[in-house]
Amino acid sequence: MSEAVLRHEIGPAATVQEDRVAWLMEAVLRNRFLPQPDAGSVFVGDGDFRAVGAEFLGHFIRLGGLRPEHRVLDIGCGIGRMAVPLTQYLDVEKGRYSGFDPVEGGIAWCRRFITTAYPNFTFQRLDIAHKLYNPQGKISGEALKLPYAERQFDFVIMTSVVTHLPPDEVLVHLSEVARLLKPGGRLFMTAFVVDGIAAENTSGRRDPRLGFVRDGDGPCWFVPDMPPLAAVGFDDGFLDQALERAGLVITLKSFGHWRGQDADHYQDLYVAECRGAQR
């Protein structure tokens, strides 16, 4: 399903919803009382911390179908870039947020500045090994078992996660997502999908930092002169098959403007749904 089709709704209810989302995003941007880490401590991506968070809040609601009463799991929550705007949307009584990350500093900041004000937001460090973010980690990404009960979450976030994982670990993460989602629950995931258009830069507008080169027979693409896991792209079709293999059904696949095409989001994104009992 394309983003345009997903957004094509007619009637006053859709207008009211869009107005509310736009108002909420603007409120997040203007609220000077929301916690925000020092720029030097932000280790997750580039761009303005508050603006990126507000943008994704809009995507979660409009494209992912996130609702205030949902239970949310944020995989690789970093230093709270997605969590902070969600504090203004998730219902304090019914909504719940759980985030984890291997970087202790980010988790400590989130606990101190988010959980103390929003107790329905919880964070924990998982000592998952990663060559860039946690090289001494004791938990192998290929043997990952997340410490949450089955069928616990309505919405799982993986923003800028598979962009830093090797393919075997992507498969493990998606299998865990399928285990944790309730039937009807959704995964919101961003990625770099490298097809012919992205690889050849036919528009001449591709992000110059992301001149991906295919690694052997694939499915990975890496950026020369950068550590391999600093930015990982995948053959078009690999993530689609990985989601299907995990038992998740793609409801939206939308290419981002990193590749040089017009889009209102930078990375490529997927929304996938858990339908029925896990295989």
Side-chain angles (χ1 to χ4, degrees), residues 31 45 51-52 56 73 76 87 91 109 115-116 138 170 225 267 269:
N31 188 344
V52 171
F56 272 95
L73 175 64
T87 63
D91 185 271
W109 184 91
T115 302
T116 53
K138 295 180 173 58
V170 170
D225 302 322
Q267 292 183 9
L269 65 83

Side-chain angles (χ1 to χ4, degrees), residues 50-277:
R50 184 74 58 82
V52 171
E55 174 194 333
F56 272 95
L57 177 60
H59 295 329
F60 296 154
I61 300 169
R62 292 167 173 151
L63 305 180
L66 179 66
R67 299 199 301 268
E69 69 273 17
H70 276 167
R71 288 179 171 267
V72 176
L73 175 64
D74 190 357
I75 295 177
C77 64
I79 198 165
R81 187 165 60 171
M82 302 297 128
V84 169
L86 284 169
T87 63
Q88 306 304 291
Y89 181 69
L90 292 182
D91 185 271
V92 67
E93 297 294 335
K94 298 178 180 178
R96 294 289 184 272
Y97 169 102
S98 300
F100 73 84
D101 200 271
V103 180
E104 177 62 40
I107 296 300
W109 184 91
C110 289
R111 286 172 171 169
R112 178 180 177 186
F113 292 101
I114 300 177
T115 302
T116 53
Y118 305 94
N120 58 327
F121 279 66
T122 60
F123 301 87
Q124 65 176 310
R125 179 181 183 244
L126 296 184
D127 193 19
I128 303 169
H130 190 279
K131 290 182 179 178
L132 288 182
Y133 294 110
N134 192 32
Q136 304 303 317
K138 295 180 173 58
I139 302 173
S140 167
E142 296 181 1
L144 182 65
K145 187 76 170 180
L146 296 177
Y148 306 100
E150 293 185 2
R151 303 291 177 256
Q152 185 175 156
F153 297 101
D154 302 286
F155 198 82
V156 175
I157 297 168
M158 290 179 68
T159 55
S160 295
V161 174
V162 303
T163 56
H164 302 292
L165 292 179
D168 289 348
E169 294 186 26
V170 170
L171 297 176
V172 173
H173 276 72
L174 295 183
S175 176
E176 281 294 276
V177 168
R179 180 179 69 83
L180 298 176
L181 277 174
K182 299 176 183 178
R186 290 183 170 182
L187 165 67
F188 185 103
M189 179 177 76
T190 66
F192 294 122
V193 177
V194 187
D195 58 5
I197 293 174
E200 296 168 13
N201 191 22
T202 53
S203 69
R205 297 163 52 201
R206 185 186 64 200
D207 187 331
R209 300 171 298 177
L210 295 176
F212 284 112
V213 174
R214 202 161 189 262
D215 182 47
D217 295 329
C220 289
W221 295 68
F222 300 131
V223 178
D225 302 322
M226 291 177 60
L229 296 185
V232 182
F234 289 102
D235 285 337
D236 192 13
F238 170 79
L239 293 172
D240 308 60
Q241 294 172 10
L243 288 162
E244 180 181 0
R245 176 174 169 180
L248 300 171
V249 178
I250 297 171
T251 60
L252 173 68
K253 178 180 179 180
S254 180
F255 290 137
H257 64 74
W258 76 273
R259 61 180 47 234
Q261 68 181 55
D262 294 333
D264 66 357
H265 50 89
Y266 176 72
Q267 292 183 9
D268 308 316
L269 65 83
Y270 289 84
V271 178
E273 186 172 300
C274 178
R275 296 184 178 172

